[in-house]
Amino acid sequence: MIFFCEDCGTRNSLTDEYIKQGIVEFRCKSCNYLNSYPLPGTERQSKLEIPPPKKGTKPLTNKKLSKSTK
Ligand SMILES: [Zn+2]
C-alpha cells in the first residue's frame, strides 16, 4: 500500500506489517519522520453490520403490480 508522509509528503510503499488495528505507523524513507495515523478511509469499515436476511419469512408479494392494465 502507498502512504504519504505527513511531514514531507513523500510516497512510502508499505507492507501490511506496518498496519496494526487500523493504524499505520512507519518512518518516512525521505525525512525519517515517524508517521502514525489511522488508515485513511477505513474508519467506518471495521464494523459492517448487515443483518442477515431472515429465512422463513417471505417478503410480501406486490400484488398491485400484477394488476392487469390492459
Ligand atoms: Zn517524510
Side-chain angles (χ1 to χ4, degrees):
M1 296 177 73
I2 300 294
F3 293 96
F4 291 90
C5 171
E6 285 189 318
D7 193 43
C8 71
T10 296
R11 275 165 51 133
N12 288 262
S13 181
L14 306 176
T15 59
D16 289 343
E17 300 171 23
Y18 295 90
I19 303 165
K20 294 167 188 173
Q21 298 176 352
I23 304 290
V24 59
E25 188 172 295
F26 65 96
R27 202 169 277 279
C28 176
K29 64 182 179 184
S30 178
C31 69
N32 236 23
Y33 175 80
L34 181 61
N35 293 267
S36 177
Y37 53 84
L39 279 177
T42 56
E43 292 179 16
R44 304 190 61 152
Q45 285 184 0
S46 56
K47 284 186 179 181
L48 275 182
E49 295 185 11
I50 301 177
K54 290 182 180 179
K55 290 180 180 179
T57 54
K58 282 186 177 181
L60 293 174
T61 51
N62 206 342
K63 290 183 179 178
K64 288 181 181 179
L65 281 179
S66 62
K67 186 176 67 177
S68 60
T69 54
K70 290 181 180 175

